[in-house]
Amino acid sequence: MLSTGMLSTGRNARTVGQAPRREAPRRRLVEAGWIVPAAFLVASMASPAVLAEPANIEMARAAQLAQASEESVDFAIPSQALSEALTAFGRQAGLQVTVESELPAGRTAPAVNGTMTPSAALRMLLSGSGLTWAFLDDDTVALRRVEAGNDQMVLDPIMVEGSGTPATGDIGRQLAPYAGGQVARGGRSGILGNQDMMDAPFNVTAYTEDTIRLQQAETIGDVMENDPSVRTGYGFGNFSERFRIRGFDVYGEDVSVDGLYGNAPRQLVSMEMYERVEVTKGANAFLNGVGPGNSGVGGGINLVPKRAGDEPLTRLSGDLANNARAGAHVDFGRRFGKNDVFGLRVNVAHRDGETSIEDEERRMSLGSAAFDYRGEDTRVTLDIAAQEHRIDQGRPMVQVGTSLVPDAPDAETNYGRDWSYAEMDDRYVQARVEHDLFDRWTAHLAAGLRNMEEDGDYATPTINNLSGTATVGRMAVPREDSNRSIDAGIRGAFETGPVGHELTFGANRLETENRNSYDLALTNATINIYDPRQTARPGPGLVAGSLTDPPLVSESELQSTYIGDTLSIMDDMASLTVGLRNQEIEVRGYNRTTQAQTSYYSESALTPAVGLVVRPTEQFSLYGNYIEALEQGPTAPSTATNAGEIFAPHISEQFEIGTKLDFGTIGGSLALFQISKPSGLTDPATNLYSVDGEQRHRGVELTLFGEPVEGTRLIGGVAYTRAELVATAGGANDGNDAVGVPDLQANLGVEYDLPFLDRATIGARALYTAPQYLDAANSQEVPSWARLDLAARMTRTIDDRDVLFNLSVENVTNEAYWASAAGGYLTQGAPVTGKFSVSMDF
């Protein structure tokens, strides 16, 4: 037996899951949960305090007696692997903790911060783990699994006061992973902070570090392969990932980092330095404000940086993919100082070589350092990151100049030019400070700086006939971006009679500068995408701006003030969220040669939000919301009679109702939504430009996740969207499908722990996308596509260290397909891609 925070281990055993409980000021009887293990899943982030259930009434009474005689202790335990959290608990409580070695495996504990009894701390640490405890004597506590079928009860909640993260803070309060570990119990709802999925009136899915690491995800797009509401394509003329959520675009510029816009890399984001990818589905102007890329009508994406856990981490990983593309990754984490108040998490990664696409080479390098401080009433995070990407002879997107859509070439065919390339260098620093002003009131301040340099020779083919003949030119675009962002606010909780409130208010500002030039070749070459022979690089053509020192082209100032309140009644069985944001948008454009101002846009808009949640039981909630999206309004084109007229920002409206289910081992949601987006058009009769167009998306989303039976994990769902052009110029395309929005998208991933081979897992994932249209007239149909991915992984102990061997194969049948028609052009899906990695913790 090891003492004072060291775990005593016994025979191997599997963990047993128990339905997690949300924090609630009332006593409830609960039923036993289903049996679930979570083998091989590594720690993610933190959870608010929730309740764990003693195994039976006798154990509950024993725990109450033990708690009554305990003295309070100052705990500072971050979210981490349950085994590590128990070690920290024992050390800080001065207790011996005994537990069978396999019981905590794959489980993540929520953060525990504050002054409380050891029993209260254990209750929080073991929430949803399927484990309970008993004091063997004054110095020893033993853990064991909950046995299904026993009578159980939930103790009244423990009110925690003193140091640590309060409910009004966000740092250190990420929600714990759900059963199976692939998604969290919730995520950040913008200015409302981290919300449990059952309590949020909006739809947020948070993919965990386990999902990112075990699926060997390299970019955000790889993570989105799990989500039926999202599809990924290329940006126009480059290699950026362009996401479609509920059928509307989200550009890379509009991905946030830790809740702050302006700092995420613009084109490609490497996953090695991030712990979670949180996807908000639906309009979100009130929650997040306007992003610098002027997109996000159908949703948003937030990245959560990695933080140091309570136990030391040194993980070395190596990976190998098709055509000998190799990489290495070091993940290092330590806490230091008195009571481990300081933390440092460092990630360094490099990957280089030819991809599964013929002759396409990609190189990536990154380095990041994440600092954090958790004081008695102040918490601080500081993130510094640098990321570089280079792509040589990348396979580009394809424009179509024919009346019909040609077949996709063989999956590995590369019609990119051997002289084409893209090089991207992103660097950012971001800090966040939270300070508890007084009981249940917290102020926060976040700020970030980002600088980016891009350069490239781009070559986009335009297909001219069904035989694959295409013309291709060249465009060089050096670009530099500089962003500065800040957000400040206060969140507090209080009561007015029987009504509870969580009030938040604040302001933010984002300033951007864009410098770019271009060199557009005046001659085109003829190629065939089915037999893509190389051609000479076209010489200099039409040049605008300096190619070595790009001039200022545009700058913007986006600022807003916001206020929101969540009112709850009947012990949180019903809650109503109301809020309002005033957004101001100011944009200036400049001539590349003279630097004279050529355009100016300054408008503002109010965007309200209302959300309702009703929870008749712990396992079931009903929700609904009205919320808006906001985009910069257009300026009438030079061909219109009212050329130059500036229009107010576009306000898109979303109505959504749905239900969420949480059975402890399996959860999900069903949502019905409508989003109406205005658009500009020129009347063919009067030649007047106006914002009288409309695109309306009505949809149904079904999502599913968890571990319904021991050793089997599920993730995925189905999304049906009817994306209709309601009002078009002259009514020519009224009633047609919107460009690049399939009616049906489905994803299903399954993992199975092999019963005959210890710590070994196999998995499969299937994706389906229905046909979509390339044009508003619906004359160019892109065929449906389906894809199958397979995976296997195994953990073995070598020299007392666990080593993970991980193999995955994407698109195992090597299907050739057009993955996306978003934007009115085609992005081809990747060919069969094998990935193998080995990682070891030292």
Side-chain angles (χ1 to χ4, degrees), residues 345-426:
R345 186 80 175 264
V346 175
N347 281 268
V348 178
H350 180 77
R351 188 175 294 112
D352 193 3
E354 185 176 334
T355 72
S356 54
I357 299 171
E358 290 180 352
D359 299 321
E360 179 183 274
E361 294 191 2
R362 296 196 176 212
R363 184 179 72 240
M364 180 280 298
S365 299
L366 72 82
S368 69
F371 301 89
D372 71 271
Y373 167 78
R374 52 188 196 210
E376 182 176 354
D377 55 10
T378 301
R379 296 163 298 280
V380 181
T381 62
L382 174 65
D383 298 295
I384 303 172
Q387 174 190 287
E388 296 178 1
H389 275 272
R390 182 177 174 103
I391 302 173
D392 287 289
Q393 198 177 336
R395 183 167 70 184
M397 41 76 69
V398 174
Q399 298 190 81
V400 177
T402 65
S403 58
L404 298 175
V405 176
D407 293 337
D410 291 342
E412 67 278 358
T413 299
N414 188 355
Y415 30 84
R417 305 293 85 196
D418 57 7
W419 43 261
S420 66
Y421 75 96
E423 193 162 19
M424 299 151 278
D425 184 356
D426 280 270

Side-chain angles (χ1 to χ4, degrees), residues 779-791:
S779 62
Q780 298 173 301
E781 184 179 70
V782 179
S784 64
W785 60 269
R787 197 185 91 191
L788 176 65
D789 305 336
L790 298 176

Side-chain angles (χ1 to χ4, degrees), residues 112-450:
V112 175
N113 296 292
T115 302
M116 67 193 84
T117 64
S119 285
L122 275 173
R123 179 174 291 107
M124 297 166 68
L125 284 176
L126 299 180
S127 62
S129 69
L131 302 179
T132 188
W133 76 95
F135 283 89
L136 302 182
D137 53 43
D138 290 342
D139 300 317
T140 307
V141 60
L143 272 61
R144 69 184 182 93
R145 74 184 82 198
V146 173
E147 297 179 1
N150 286 352
D151 291 334
Q152 298 172 32
M153 64 177 293
V154 180
L155 299 179
D156 287 334
I158 304 298
M159 300 303 294
V160 179
E161 298 180 355
S163 64
T165 305
T168 50
D170 284 324
I171 296 176
R173 291 192 67 248
Q174 262 70 32
L175 293 155
Y178 197 79
Q182 295 175 306
V183 301
R185 288 197 54 84
R188 181 188 289 272
S189 295
I191 61 172
L192 301 179
N194 294 305
Q195 293 187 315
D196 187 276
M197 64 181 187
M198 300 296 286
D199 298 328
F202 307 104
N203 206 318
V204 179
T205 303
Y207 296 97
T208 66
E209 184 179 0
D210 281 355
T211 298
I212 296 170
R213 181 184 175 220
L214 297 180
Q215 293 185 359
Q216 304 183 82
E218 297 179 9
T219 66
I220 297 175
D222 292 337
V223 180
M224 293 301 98
E225 302 286 7
N226 297 286
D227 202 307
S229 300
V230 186
R231 286 296 182 263
T232 305
Y234 280 167
F236 183 78
N238 58 30
F239 303 101
S240 65
E241 289 187 326
R242 171 180 181 160
F243 311 101
R244 282 218 154 175
I245 305 177
R246 290 185 172 176
F248 293 103
D249 286 328
V250 177
Y251 302 138
E253 291 94 328
D254 293 336
V255 172
S256 60
V257 176
D258 202 18
L260 203 61
Y261 279 136
N263 294 330
R266 189 178 83 94
Q267 290 205 33
L268 294 169
V269 179
S270 295
M271 289 290 95
E272 285 82 358
M273 55 185 165
Y274 298 106
E275 185 160 355
R276 291 192 179 176
V277 179
E278 300 175 328
V279 183
T280 299
K281 298 171 186 176
N284 57 99
F286 163 70
L287 298 176
N288 299 312
V290 171
N294 204 39
S295 67
V297 170
I301 297 174
N302 180 58
L303 304 174
V304 180
K306 291 179 176 178
R307 302 279 176 230
D310 199 53
E311 294 303 313
L313 170 68
T314 304
R315 177 175 295 151
L316 176 62
S317 305
D319 61 82
L320 186 67
N322 291 49
N323 300 326
R325 185 169 182 242
H329 174 208
V330 176
D331 190 352
F332 175 88
R334 293 291 188 275
R335 301 211 70 84
F336 51 94
K338 184 179 179 180
N339 296 325
D340 289 339
V341 295
F342 297 101
L344 171 64
R345 186 80 175 264
V346 175
N347 281 268
V348 178
H350 180 77
R351 188 175 294 112
D352 193 3
E354 185 176 334
T355 72
S356 54
I357 299 171
E358 290 180 352
D359 299 321
E360 179 183 274
E361 294 191 2
R362 296 196 176 212
R363 184 179 72 240
M364 180 280 298
S365 299
L366 72 82
S368 69
F371 301 89
D372 71 271
Y373 167 78
R374 52 188 196 210
E376 182 176 354
D377 55 10
T378 301
R379 296 163 298 280
V380 181
T381 62
L382 174 65
D383 298 295
I384 303 172
Q387 174 190 287
E388 296 178 1
H389 275 272
R390 182 177 174 103
I391 302 173
D392 287 289
Q393 198 177 336
R395 183 167 70 184
M397 41 76 69
V398 174
Q399 298 190 81
V400 177
T402 65
S403 58
L404 298 175
V405 176
D407 293 337
D410 291 342
E412 67 278 358
T413 299
N414 188 355
Y415 30 84
R417 305 293 85 196
D418 57 7
W419 43 261
S420 66
Y421 75 96
E423 193 162 19
M424 299 151 278
D425 184 356
D426 280 270
R427 302 171 189 273
Y428 76 81
V429 57
Q430 179 169 315
R432 180 177 291 273
V433 180
E434 288 182 352
H435 179 70
D436 302 329
L437 302 173
F438 43 88
D439 184 32
R440 298 197 297 169
W441 285 88
T442 300
H444 78 266
L445 174 66
L449 297 171
R450 170 177 168 262

